[in-house]
Amino acid sequence: MADSPILSMRGIDKSFGAIQVLHSVDFNVYPGEVMALVGDNGAGKSTLIKCVGGIYPIDHGDVFFEGTPVTIHGPRDAAALGIEIVYQDLALCDNLDIVQNMFLGREIKKRPFGNLDEPAMEQRARETLKSLSVRTVKSVRQVVSSLSGGQRQTVAIAKAVLWNNRVVLLDEPTAALGVAQTRQVLDLVRRLAQSGLGVVLISHNMNDVMEVADRITTLYLGRVAAEVKRADVTYQQVVELITTGRTGTIGLQPATAAESA
Amino acid sequence: MTTQGSTPSPVEPTTSTALHHQEGSSPEAPSHSITDFTADFGAANLRETVHAYIAKVRGGEPGALPALLGLVVLVLTFGFTTKLFISVGNLANVPGQAAPTIIIAMGLVFVLLLGEIDLAAGTAAGACSGAMALAVNNNGNLAKVLHGGTFGAYVIFMAVALIVALWQRLWLGAAAVLFGLVILLTHLASNDVVSIALAVTTGTAIGVLTGILVARVGIPSFVVTLALFLTWQGVLLLFEGNGATVPTRGFAAINGIENKNLSPMWGWIVFVVSVVGYGTVTIFRSVRRRARNLSAEPLVLVLLRLVLLIVVGAFSVYFLNKNRGKGLVKIEGMPWIVPIVLVLLVVLTLLLTKTAFGRYLYAVGGNAEGSLRAGINVPRMRVSAFTISSSLAAFGGVALASYSGGVNSGAGGGNTLLFAVGAAVVGGTSLFGGRGRIRDAVLGGLVITLIPNGLGLHSNMSSAYNFVITGAFLLMAAAVDAASRRRSAV
Ligand SMILES: Nc1ncnc2c1ncn2[C@@H]1O[C@H](COP(=O)(O)OP(=O)(O)OP(=O)(O)O)[C@@H](O)[C@H]1O
Ligand SMILES: [Mg+2]
């Protein structure tokens, strides 16, 4: 396992108005590993992800990519670094079809006029969906509004793996999925890590987390309770970290935990 | 369905590369690559095509159907109830009557796609054409005719728009506004063609500033354009003085837009070029995409549409080429406005369907937050949409001036805007954003125009009926829009 993170966030503060949502958060993603990000509802997981993606600007703190400091001003900066995010609240356009959604913002264009290369996009979209074993979609030219929740989720994931990424962050990707599709997504998460990517998985399902994660970061009320190796903790300990911010000697000091609450 | 060659297994040890773009992966043979996506390859025959079409309409995508039905109903009704409706003299008037509404509506499609509205498009059209008319009548010297303060404000307005356009990096818009500023400060607008450019570029400036108020300042477009609706009306009054009309009949380029005709031979050339061009592109696309195993429209459908177009087009050209002059004066041929609208239709449709810019307009209209996350500069898209809309509105104003022979101090007011919005909506553009096409403006504009045209031939029908019936059509269109939105959840 690699020990130097590919993506590293140091001391991230983030407030919405008067409410501080993230308190000096340290977060690392290692190449070839799955980092699970867990925490109760409202702990700040999605907010942290959106800071990585450049959706929210961070108030304080530093971001390092492969050891060099970077600033991410917007989604395009993140994409340029090879960071792909599957957001919890799906970011698909209902009125566009699957292909159009998968390439949104990064269309393949033809020379010399820069018009859209629909055949190329359609072919690649189909290949990617096939590699994810998407079976239930009738047409890649279907508008997204006609898809089921799980199918949309799959399209959103396919959109993220379409590109040559270094880091993929998935915010509760299996929440809307059936048993078989969940299995596929978990397998995909492992495959992505095996191919050398840094993968972040946010999930409330501890069984899934314990199965696929190499490391686990727990957020407790906007603070990092602990970053641990999956092999070093038990299921019970992770649950305690999520609900109380500490377990045994690991976790926030009682005072800090109380202060955050 | 699953055939040899494809790998349906979810777990493939070597898929890490398969997840990414496979450079040079050859297109697989048709029967090998299809595991699912069966519907991509569309209907194979006419029956399936019809079924697919019905399914689409019922699924909430009525397309051009309601507008076409409306046209057929209107033509049949007026055709049977009046003698004159289906006569060369009357039908040859329709393009000219419809064009201002159509052109303004084309611009509105861009704004409506984003789920916004431009209530000021009509009065902006009036003010821009007013500037044009005054300039061309006074050797391009607006400084002389306008009140000093008014002229100064005009120049400052254009300069501010230029700066904003540069700030938003709307290069094309900035170039247009700069051109307008140059025309304004020199006396170039003594030339009638250049005076038209003054109108259009003033529209560009109006659009840039409208857009910035909506997209960056964050005022709802309904409020911004309601305020500007009043403003431009006032500006036109300032330009011309109350009750005045500035004539444009004497200026060939302006007058010709609505009142000059192509020779019959050129009419046929326009027809052949349009039909051959459209036919080649659509047939070629269908055949080639199918051969490459991509989703494609069935050829039958393409051919059917082409035949319909040929029949309607040939009929129109034949009709327009007949002499409709009374007495000794021979009036024949396709009005210039027809190819002008056709060119706009083609260019703007290409912009919406073949470019990333067009794609982003739809995306922002469908899901602004999602578009933002995809890296699209959403505010800039909004400013662009208003810029295009107002520029086209200004050109619609030019057509209106050409049609009425001048610009009166109330031009573009009244129902001008409402009819244009009505045209877009009747044509099938959604008021909720995310759905609409340029052709909607054309079809809807024809519907909106045929109503007063046909009613006018009934001597006992007052204009009251015109408003009531137009209102009813608009309500029906809005109902179709709402219903299809519910069905398709777009
Ligand atoms: N745009 C926003 N404006 C104000 N407050 C926000 C905003 N987004 C999130 N918050 C607040 O920040 C806190 C963290 O929210 P976040 O969505 O990051 O939680 P989460 O860990 O992803 O929870 P869940 O598991 O429910 O998805 C919550 O208290 C939420 O109310
Ligand atoms: Mg969340």
Side-chain angles (χ1 to χ4, degrees):
Chain A
M1 285 189 188
D3 276 324
S4 61
I6 180 165
L7 174 69
S8 176
M9 322 266 294
R10 295 251 169 277
I12 303 295
D13 286 342
K14 174 70 196 167
S15 304
F16 293 108
I19 303 159
Q20 191 165 358
V21 175
L22 297 178
H23 301 261
S24 189
V25 167
D26 292 339
F27 182 61
N28 299 300
V29 185
Y30 302 87
E33 289 191 9
V34 177
M35 170 66 87
L37 179 60
V38 296
D40 256 339
N41 293 125
K45 307 180 294 296
S46 298
T47 305
L48 182 61
I49 294 287
K50 286 177 183 168
C51 288
V52 176
I55 308 288
Y56 297 150
I58 54 179
D59 300 339
H60 292 288
D62 304 298
V63 182
F64 299 89
F65 194 81
E66 295 184 318
T68 45
V70 290
T71 44
I72 299 174
H73 289 297
R76 281 190 192 272
D77 290 349
L81 289 171
I83 299 174
E84 281 299 322
I85 302 178
V86 178
Y87 290 101
Q88 180 177 21
D89 35 351
L90 289 180
L92 298 178
C93 293
D94 272 354
N95 59 333
L96 299 185
D97 66 35
I98 295 176
V99 181
Q100 294 172 338
N101 263 294
M102 285 176 65
F103 282 88
L104 189 60
R106 284 178 281 188
E107 287 77 7
I108 303 178
K109 292 172 192 166
K110 275 189 207 162
R111 282 163 201 282
F113 300 113
N115 53 326
L116 299 174
D117 192 345
E118 297 287 354
M121 291 194 272
E122 186 173 324
Q123 219 140 31
R124 270 189 63 188
R126 201 174 291 140
E127 279 164 18
T128 307
L129 285 170
K130 235 184 280 163
S131 77
L132 295 178
S133 307
V134 175
R135 294 238 187 74
T136 52
V137 172
K138 273 209 222 66
S139 162
V140 291
R141 288 300 181 181
Q142 234 175 315
V143 287
V144 164
S145 65
S146 69
L147 299 179
S148 78
Q151 289 172 328
R152 288 174 198 221
Q153 188 75 61
T154 316
V155 171
I157 295 171
K159 179 182 178 179
V161 299
L162 185 61
W163 308 97
N164 281 303
N165 313 309
R166 313 296 307 282
V167 178
V168 175
L169 303 97
L170 304 135
D171 195 348
E172 301 194 29
T174 57
L177 298 186
V179 179
Q181 283 293 319
T182 300
R183 186 75 259 142
Q184 281 179 15
V185 169
L186 294 179
D187 289 338
L188 170 71
V189 165
R190 281 298 347 154
R191 285 202 316 256
L192 289 172
Q194 266 161 29
S195 66
L197 276 68
V199 184
V200 176
L201 175 71
I202 297 181
S203 175
H204 288 292
N205 185 328
M206 283 311 120
N207 290 322
D208 294 353
V209 168
M210 297 308 272
E211 179 193 330
V212 299
D214 297 302
R215 297 182 203 240
I216 303 172
T217 300
T218 42
L219 273 182
Y220 178 74
L221 297 170
R223 288 170 210 273
V224 174
E227 179 192 314
V228 293
K229 286 199 173 153
R230 140 83 184 82
D232 298 343
V233 287
T234 64
Y235 184 108
Q236 200 50 46
Q237 282 177 306
V238 177
V239 173
E240 258 177 57
L241 279 169
I242 292 172
T243 50
T244 64
R246 54 180 288 111
T247 172
T249 55
I250 323 173
L252 295 168
Q253 295 306 309
T256 328
E259 176 201 319
S260 340
Chain B
M1 285 222 290
T2 305
T3 49
Q4 72 278 32
S6 64
T7 354
S9 145
V11 198
E12 294 164 286
T14 53
T15 32
S16 56
T17 52
L19 294 172
H20 303 300
H21 180 39
Q22 297 165 323
E23 298 288 346
S25 68
S26 59
E28 297 149 85
S31 61
H32 289 243
S33 62
I34 310 168
T35 47
D36 305 276
F37 315 125
T38 38
D40 274 353
F41 311 103
N45 54 39
L46 197 56
R47 239 187 73 143
E48 276 183 46
T49 309
V50 172
H51 276 287
Y53 187 68
I54 293 173
K56 217 171 141 179
V57 171
R58 297 176 72 180
E61 280 181 79
L65 196 61
L68 284 176
L69 279 180
L71 278 178
V72 170
V73 167
L74 287 173
V75 168
L76 289 181
T77 311
F78 292 136
F80 280 113
T81 56
T82 68
K83 279 204 189 84
L84 281 176
F85 183 75
I86 305 203
S87 67
V88 187
N90 184 50
L91 287 187
N93 273 335
V94 171
Q97 281 172 354
T101 306
I102 288 176
I103 296 169
I104 298 175
M106 282 176 166
L108 285 172
V109 168
F110 285 82
V111 170
L112 292 173
L113 271 180
L114 296 184
E116 308 278 355
I117 185 79
D118 185 356
L119 297 175
T123 57
C128 294
S129 59
M132 165 193 78
L134 278 181
V136 78
N137 274 290
N138 292 283
N139 295 317
N141 190 352
L142 271 179
K144 197 187 78 192
V145 270
L146 294 183
H147 211 277
T150 312
F151 183 75
Y154 194 169
V155 171
I156 293 172
F157 178 83
M158 296 293 280
V160 171
L162 175 60
I163 293 167
V164 170
L166 289 172
W167 168 43
Q168 290 298 300
R169 290 185 295 162
L170 300 172
W171 306 128
L172 229 58
V177 178
L178 178 66
F179 184 42
L181 199 56
V182 170
I183 299 173
L184 199 56
L185 294 174
T186 59
H187 296 172
L188 288 172
S190 57
N191 176 289
D192 50 1
V193 176
V194 179
S195 76
I196 295 176
L198 175 66
V200 174
T201 54
T202 303
T204 310
I206 288 176
V208 168
L209 291 174
T210 312
I212 216 71
L213 288 172
V214 174
R216 294 285 180 192
V217 183
I219 315 171
S221 58
F222 183 86
V223 181
V224 171
T225 59
L226 186 61
L228 292 177
F229 165 77
L230 296 172
T231 309
W232 306 137
Q233 215 163 2
V235 166
L236 181 56
L237 275 175
L238 270 181
F239 279 177
E240 298 197 349
N242 211 348
T245 296
V246 183
T248 54
R249 277 264 184 263
F251 304 96
I254 301 172
N255 189 51
I257 291 177
E258 289 268 9
N259 303 304
K260 282 275 179 308
N261 303 309
L262 300 175
S263 71
M265 209 247 305
W266 270 103
W268 285 114
I269 292 178
V270 168
F271 167 75
V272 170
V273 168
S274 311
V275 167
V276 170
Y278 179 80
T280 331
V281 169
T282 51
I283 293 175
F284 191 65
R285 186 171 58 199
S286 171
V287 171
R288 210 176 59 149
R289 300 198 66 184
R290 200 162 277 258
R292 287 181 61 184
N293 199 22
L294 294 161
S295 67
E297 274 187 326
L299 195 58
V300 235
L301 187 67
V302 172
L303 292 175
L304 215 64
R305 220 192 281 129
L306 187 62
V307 168
L308 188 74
L309 196 77
I310 291 176
V311 171
V312 174
F315 218 74
S316 313
V317 176
Y318 168 77
F319 233 66
L320 292 172
N321 279 349
K322 290 219 277 198
N323 182 12
R324 52 183 178 272
K326 292 191 179 76
L328 294 175
V329 205
K330 197 168 168 194
I331 303 176
E332 60 178 15
M334 176 190 286
W336 260 104
I337 194 69
V338 175
I340 291 175
V341 168
L342 281 180
V343 167
L344 284 177
L345 173 67
V346 171
V347 170
L348 298 175
T349 299
L350 290 178
L351 178 65
L352 278 188
T353 57
K354 301 287 172 213
T355 69
F357 175 82
R359 178 67 41 86
Y360 297 167
L361 277 175
Y362 285 94
V364 174
N367 179 352
E369 176 61 27
S371 307
L372 214 56
R373 291 187 194 174
I376 296 170
N377 188 339
V378 174
R380 187 166 177 271
M381 293 307 297
R382 285 196 210 287
V383 181
S384 310
F386 279 99
T387 305
I388 293 171
S389 172
S390 299
S391 307
L392 282 166
F395 188 62
V398 175
L400 196 60
S402 175
Y403 184 73
S404 20
V407 182
N408 69 43
S409 59
N415 292 325
T416 311
L417 179 270
L418 297 182
F419 282 159
V421 174
V425 174
V426 167
T429 294
S430 173
L431 287 167
F432 302 103
R435 190 154 46 84
R437 301 173 177 211
I438 299 300
R439 74 156 193 229
D440 297 348
V442 179
L443 293 176
L446 287 175
V447 171
I448 294 282
T449 306
L450 281 186
I451 298 170
N453 176 299
L455 287 176
L457 301 173
H458 286 270
S459 53
N460 55 343
M461 289 272 187
S462 69
S463 67
Y465 289 99
N466 172 23
F467 292 143
V468 172
I469 294 175
T470 308
F473 261 83
L474 191 48
L475 268 184
M476 272 192 286
V480 169
D481 179 21
S484 63
R485 183 183 154 83
R486 250 207 330 275
R487 293 223 162 185
S488 66
V490 167

